[in-house]
Amino acid sequence: MKNLWDWLLIMLSKNILENKVAVVTGASRGIGLAIAQALCCSGAKVASVSRSECKAENGYICDVSNFDQVKYVCNQIISDFGKIDILVNNAGITKDNLLLSMKEEEFDSVVDINLKGAFNFTKHLARQLIKSGNGRIINMTSVIGVNGNVGQSNYAASKAGLIGFTKSMARELASRNVTCNAIAPGFIKSRMTDTMPETIKEHFLANIPLKRIGTVDEVAMLAVFLASDFASYITGEVIKVDGGMFI
Ligand code: NAP
């Protein structure tokens, strides 16, 4: 257990994640890239996973929805880094459509990547996180998973499922000192939101009390906090970063 002086020393140090090894999925751009960079700046060594080419120094390629590919990549990361302390399940996609027009593939692929992808990585890295003695799992859900949205039944179902998964992991792994929390961003500037129709963007903006779109760095800062010792007594939480959109 740390005392006040230990905490103050950590606070004064820039390297609050020194000696930690983190895995971040969906780290080729957007929120995942910002999280990988922020963890790195805080002293962690980071393995960045994405489906296509990852320009990061420690980049790994796999489809998070493919159980066997994930197993292979996790074993590779464990052998390269020797241990894992932090897992950020961030990879995600949208395939928006109204239910009456939604194809089976649009539902399946969104659930497979957003929800099963998190299961795949957690399953293959859980033993390492337990071994760490201070493991951290951070799952990227969405305010849509809490509130639902027209045209996003597949996405909302995947993100709501991720919240149930987060709370179950928090309960299952608490006795091994592994915490598991979810971040629920609102409307954040990235390629995912750049492709949204202008009318939808305007609708979102009109409902944000802080009157602006969020930045990927504002999400990344919460991830660094949750990954650090400062968050050692927080588990099973879903924390919004949404400018007050769903107060
Ligand atoms: P983004 O810019 O589209 O980035 C998505 C990332 O996920 C990319 O690195 C992509 O890699 C990766 N990815 C997608 N499918 C994958 C797969 N099958 N296997 C491995 N990697 C895969 O999106 P973002 O806005 O940064 O979103 C990141 C996360 O935040 C997502 O889970 C999203 O649902 C969540 N979120 C975003 C917002 C927002 O407003 N932006 C709001 C709430 C929640 P490739 O480039 O290689 O495909």
Side-chain angles (χ1 to χ4, degrees):
M1 204 62 73
K2 289 187 171 51
N3 65 30
L4 185 63
W5 295 110
D6 294 330
W7 287 114
L8 283 173
L9 273 177
I10 294 171
M11 246 190 272
L12 289 172
S13 148
K14 270 199 319 189
N15 295 332
I16 57 170
L17 297 177
E18 203 166 21
N19 301 321
K20 303 282 183 188
V21 175
V23 175
V24 183
T25 70
S28 62
R29 57 171 192 267
I31 293 172
L33 177 61
I35 290 176
Q37 287 171 336
L39 293 175
C40 220
C41 289
S42 306
K45 291 192 186 112
V46 180
S48 298
V49 179
S50 66
R51 187 170 36 179
S52 51
E53 195 204 349
C54 197
K55 292 189 187 88
E57 192 187 336
N58 295 308
Y60 296 82
I61 294 176
C62 84
D63 177 350
V64 296
S65 67
N66 185 313
F67 189 83
D68 292 331
Q69 275 185 33
V70 172
K71 186 177 181 182
Y72 179 82
V73 157
C74 285
N75 286 337
Q76 229 182 324
I77 296 172
I78 293 164
S79 126
D80 290 349
F81 289 85
K83 66 164 191 158
I84 311 291
D85 306 287
I86 301 157
L87 167 62
V88 184
N89 286 309
N90 164 79
I93 60 162
T94 50
K95 285 196 180 174
D96 298 350
N97 217 335
L98 295 171
L99 179 82
L100 292 181
S101 318
M102 189 174 288
K103 296 181 187 67
E104 186 183 6
E105 186 279 331
E106 288 171 333
F107 190 89
D108 286 350
S109 57
V110 168
V111 171
D112 281 353
I113 292 172
N114 297 4
L115 178 56
K116 196 184 164 211
F119 163 77
N120 287 342
F121 265 88
T122 309
K123 166 89 185 147
H124 291 119
L125 293 180
R127 281 182 211 287
Q128 292 297 318
L129 294 164
I130 290 168
K131 256 198 214 167
S132 147
N134 216 0
R136 295 276 189 272
I137 303 169
I138 299 165
N139 294 326
M140 200 56 64
T141 180
S142 164
V143 290
I144 303 302
V146 181
N147 299 282
N149 198 21
V150 173
Q152 292 200 297
S153 58
N154 51 356
Y155 185 73
S158 71
K159 294 299 188 182
L162 197 50
I163 291 172
F165 182 69
T166 301
K167 293 186 177 192
S168 302
M169 284 306 98
R171 287 183 185 277
E172 269 189 42
L173 299 175
S175 63
R176 322 299 280 271
N177 208 34
V178 177
T179 67
C180 183
N181 293 288
I183 298 178
F187 185 24
I188 307 297
K189 186 163 175 43
S190 74
R191 195 189 292 181
M192 186 177 273
T193 48
D194 283 348
T195 54
M196 276 163 53
E198 283 307 315
T199 49
I200 306 255
K201 285 188 197 172
E202 280 161 22
H203 169 78
F204 273 132
L205 275 174
N207 288 294
I208 299 174
L210 285 177
K211 291 287 168 226
R212 66 174 176 85
I213 191 167
T215 69
V216 292
D217 294 334
E218 287 171 317
V219 181
M221 285 304 107
L222 177 57
V224 170
F225 170 72
L226 288 173
S228 76
D229 282 351
F230 295 124
S232 52
Y233 203 53
I234 300 173
T235 197
E237 286 300 320
V238 180
I239 304 176
K240 288 180 288 179
V241 181
D242 71 347
M245 196 190 230
F246 285 101
I247 288 172

